[in-house]
């Protein structure tokens, strides 16, 4: 919730609930939010809204205080794998397992399809001013979009190792929207590589490889300082600070704003 006092969860039957993270007591729910397994849950603090993505491609908009389902959006025909929100404009970007991205407005019912990636899209990030959307995929590319019109701006290819197309697994965008950091792997079971990317120039500026096999999570704080969470002791080579973590499993990391240095990890384990 607004004060960090609610924990939201969903199950494979499409039900959503909220509980007190300290006591475990249910605050509301379970609420039937969808007719398929829930795959993504994202909280929007500015409007106290909960967004739930489902295996059937739908997204439910829920009042986070009461658990009431406000409406449902048919965002895609495929599994929703990630949701990002621009709280300034109310625009919601949804991407599915087939590489299709769509945008709808929390206050209206507008959906745009963004087509371009040639493989499974994984990470997604929106600039603070709501003007730029970036996406990464298993096709080895980071794509830059106009978040308001859906028009493509640039395609930035990640460096290839021995001719192998890397999979982009994590993305983070700087507060000013001028750069991003992408984490990729050429093959599963190999060490990740972290790339610092100049979005205006459309090119990779610097890269560093992790010390060992393990997930690496990039995040910018409010002041624009970059942190790499994971086994990357040489983070300073790309102008980043290093924080060692080992949480195991397959996770994604999300910065908790406006609290610097705090992150939420969501995983399949």
């Amino acid at each position: 919730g607004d004060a960090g006092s609610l924990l939201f969860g969903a199950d494979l039957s499409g039900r959503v609930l909220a509980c007190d993270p300290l006591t475990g007591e249910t605050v509301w729910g379970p609420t039937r939010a969808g007719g398929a397994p829930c795959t993504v849950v994202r909280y929007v603090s500015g409007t106290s809204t909960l967004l739930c993505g489902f295996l059937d491609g739908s997204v439910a908009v829920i009042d986070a205080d009461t658990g009431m389902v406000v409406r449902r959006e048919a965002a895609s025909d495929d599994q929703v794998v990630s949701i990002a929100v621009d709280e300034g404009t109310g625009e919601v970007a949804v991407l599915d397992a087939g590489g299709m991205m769509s945008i709808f407005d929390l206050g209206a019912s507008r959906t745009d399809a963004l087509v371009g990636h040639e493989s499974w899209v994984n990470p997604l990030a929106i600039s603070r001013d709501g003007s730029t959307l970036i996406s990464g995929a298993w096709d080895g590319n980071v794509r830059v979009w106009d978040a308001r019109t859906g028009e493509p701006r640039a395609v930035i290819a990640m460096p290839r190792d021995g001719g192998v197309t890397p999979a982009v697994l994590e993305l983070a965008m700087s507060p000013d929207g001028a750069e991003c950091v992408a984490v990729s792997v050429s093959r599963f079971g190999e060490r990740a590589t972290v790339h610092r990317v100049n979005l205006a120039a459309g090119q990779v500026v610097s890269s560093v490889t992790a010390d060992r096999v393990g997930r690496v999570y990039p995040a910018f704080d409010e002041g624009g300082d970059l942190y790499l969470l994971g086994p990357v002791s040489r983070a300073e080579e790309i102008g980043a600070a290093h924080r060692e973590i080992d949480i195991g499993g397959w996770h994604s990391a999300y910065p908790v704003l406006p609290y610097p240095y705090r992150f939420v990890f969501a995983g399949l384990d």
Side-chain angles (χ1 to χ4, degrees), residues 33-269:
C38 182
T39 54
V40 182
V41 176
R42 179 58 57 88
Y43 176 68
V44 186
S45 61
T47 57
S48 194
T49 301
L50 195 66
L51 298 171
C52 297
F54 297 92
L55 194 65
D56 61 4
S58 64
V59 175
V61 181
I62 302 171
D63 186 319
D65 296 323
T66 65
M68 182 183 71
V69 178
V70 178
R71 75 175 194 272
R72 295 182 178 88
E73 291 280 346
S76 171
D77 294 326
D78 205 345
Q79 172 187 343
V80 176
V81 298
S82 186
I83 297 174
V85 183
D86 173 18
E87 297 197 21
T89 65
E91 289 193 328
V92 180
V94 180
L95 57 88
D96 67 23
M100 177 77 73
M101 286 180 291
S102 61
I103 296 177
F104 70 86
D105 196 296
L106 276 177
S109 185
R110 180 178 68 85
T111 302
D112 300 321
L114 307 181
V115 182
H117 283 293
E118 298 177 355
S119 187
W120 192 350
V121 180
N122 198 45
L124 184 70
I126 297 179
S127 62
R128 301 288 175 86
D129 64 1
S131 65
T132 304
L133 173 71
I134 57 174
S135 58
W138 291 33
D139 60 7
N141 294 325
V142 171
R143 286 184 173 265
V144 186
W145 313 81
D146 186 310
R148 297 191 172 99
T149 67
E151 291 297 316
R153 289 180 178 173
V155 180
I156 306 170
M158 297 298 100
R160 297 193 176 197
D161 181 12
V164 178
T165 300
V168 181
L169 301 181
E170 302 289 344
L171 279 177
M173 192 184 302
S174 62
D176 60 5
E179 61 177 337
C180 77
V181 173
V183 180
S184 68
V185 293
S186 296
R187 303 174 185 84
F188 283 101
E190 293 191 356
R191 293 181 296 170
T193 302
V194 185
H195 311 282
R196 196 153 190 165
V197 182
N198 184 312
L199 293 177
Q203 62 183 14
V204 175
V205 176
S206 56
S207 302
V208 65
T209 302
D211 305 334
R212 61 180 186 278
V213 175
R215 294 297 293 266
V216 178
Y217 311 101
F220 288 91
D221 66 13
E222 288 291 317
D225 293 328
L226 174 63
Y227 291 84
L228 299 182
L229 289 76
V232 191
S233 61
R234 296 182 294 116
E236 71 278 357
E237 293 183 13
I238 62 169
H242 171 241
R243 297 289 184 271
E244 183 72 27
I245 61 170
D246 185 9
I247 55 176
W250 181 283
H251 291 73
S252 288
Y254 305 99
V256 181
L257 302 177
Y259 308 106
Y261 320 120
R262 297 185 184 179
F263 302 87
V264 171
F265 293 89
L268 298 181
D269 60 354

